[in-house]
Amino acid sequence: MIRILIVEDSTTTRQFLSSLLRTDPEVQVVGEAKNGLEAVEQTKALRPDVVAMDIDMPVMNGFEAAKRIMSETPTPIVIISNSLNVREVQVALQALKAGALTVLAKPNGSTTPENELECSSFVSTLKIMSQVKVVGHWPDLSREKGQPGSQRAPRTLPNGKKAKVVAIVASTGGTVALNRIFSELPGNFPVPILVVQHMAAGFMSGCATWLDVNSSLRVKVGEEGETLAPGTVYLAQDNLHMGVNGQDMIQYSSADPIENFRPSGTFLFESAAKA
């Protein structure tokens, strides 16, 4: 049985999420909290397998609560949000840096086939995240833009040629790893970087802004037909495959998902290799 703590300041949303999770026989909702401080206290008392936590709450927001939980009672945390404004997305991503595992969009109560799929994905993701082994930490959040770590000269490929592009794929929760990588690279990195990051729809713009603030590189969502430039990170748009053509320009495709993913890392890698 997977034990879940729900943290949400809206009573209506809290009740909906609780009833949704209880439809799964493998899930037990062990507690409900209406702010971050209650989340910290109930995590200590109840020891849930995973915490599903809103970000914008009174008394203590999800970012501060995530820091407290990960330093005092390390527990898998999934941030849930129905707001796509850049500020809230940035706070949600700061919570990932503090130790939360991923960000999920809150499902609504509509009965459309799309929402039923979203609800199913919401429950299954919480179940998967409950199995992640986490350790306590108080991360260093002080690194500022323009303060990269060690700088190394670009390496050559096995055939002696220099790389023309770097392609990176990150699955759910990978934004923290991307932040670490980009914060360590110099602003004059000699090639462009293409990234497919699996993330709930609507969060990519805020993710790009957050990564940009924490890096000397320029980080943005890539545009169709955009010419690639060195020292720039291009994140794939929502629900489109991102590739690159022989003229060093971004190309998007609405082709079928590959192994249930669009954008797909496989599509990006194969496109970059051909180009």
Side-chain angles (χ1 to χ4, degrees):
M1 188 68 71
I2 296 171
R3 305 169 72 253
I4 297 180
L5 171 65
I6 299 172
V7 187
E8 164 64 56
D9 62 314
S10 166
T11 302
T12 301
T13 303
R14 198 165 58 244
Q15 290 174 345
F16 168 71
L17 294 177
S18 180
S19 63
L20 170 63
L21 290 169
R22 288 190 171 103
T23 62
D24 190 310
E26 297 180 348
V27 168
Q28 178 185 8
V29 177
V30 294
E32 298 179 11
K34 60 181 181 292
N35 60 59
L37 183 59
E38 288 186 5
V40 174
E41 295 170 347
Q42 290 197 36
T43 300
K44 286 182 181 179
L46 301 174
R47 302 286 173 156
D49 297 312
V50 62
V51 177
M53 183 160 60
D54 190 17
I55 197 70
D56 192 9
M57 298 179 291
V59 184
M60 180 184 292
N61 67 22
F63 168 53
E64 294 296 334
K67 285 200 300 182
R68 286 276 303 274
I69 290 171
M70 293 310 297
S71 65
E72 299 173 13
T73 318
T75 305
I77 299 171
V78 173
I79 298 298
I80 55 176
S81 176
N82 58 8
S83 172
L84 300 182
N85 72 70
V86 172
R87 185 202 66 80
E88 185 160 329
V89 171
Q90 289 179 321
V91 176
L93 293 171
Q94 281 292 94
L96 298 190
K97 195 172 180 181
L101 297 176
T102 190
V103 179
L104 286 181
K106 294 177 190 174
N108 57 51
S110 68
T111 56
T112 63
E114 292 79 7
N115 188 63
E116 290 180 1
L117 181 62
E118 188 178 84
C119 287
S120 175
S121 176
F122 179 84
V123 176
S124 63
T125 300
L126 286 177
K127 292 168 68 175
I128 292 170
M129 292 297 107
S130 73
Q131 306 304 310
V132 176
K133 304 302 180 185
V134 297
V135 294
H137 67 292
W138 196 287
D140 178 10
L141 304 177
S142 62
R143 184 187 293 272
E144 297 179 357
K145 186 179 178 73
Q147 295 182 332
S150 59
Q151 301 183 15
R152 298 182 177 87
R155 298 193 179 201
T156 56
L157 301 174
N159 60 10
K161 296 180 180 180
K162 287 188 177 180
K164 294 179 62 180
V165 68
V166 172
I168 300 176
V169 178
S171 191
T172 302
T175 49
V176 176
L178 293 178
N179 181 71
R180 174 67 184 274
I181 292 169
F182 299 154
S183 68
E184 293 287 334
L185 295 177
N188 63 350
F189 192 70
V191 297
I193 301 174
L194 301 175
V195 178
V196 165
Q197 165 67 58
H198 296 152
M199 177 172 283
F203 289 88
M204 197 55 65
S205 178
C207 177
T209 302
W210 181 71
L211 291 170
D212 182 70
V213 168
N214 289 287
S215 170
S216 295
L217 300 166
R218 181 189 182 204
V219 184
K220 66 186 300 292
V221 177
E223 302 294 334
E224 172 68 25
E226 186 170 4
T227 300
L228 300 179
T232 305
V233 179
Y234 302 90
L235 303 183
Q237 295 180 13
D238 289 334
N239 202 32
L240 288 171
H241 294 304
M242 182 170 71
V244 58
N245 64 20
Q247 288 73 49
D248 297 335
M249 296 169 62
I250 292 175
Q251 284 190 327
Y252 281 103
S253 170
S254 58
D256 291 340
I258 300 175
E259 296 184 356
N260 299 318
F261 289 107
R262 189 173 65 195
S264 162
T266 298
F267 188 97
L268 173 61
F269 287 160
E270 290 181 348
S271 173
K274 291 176 183 176

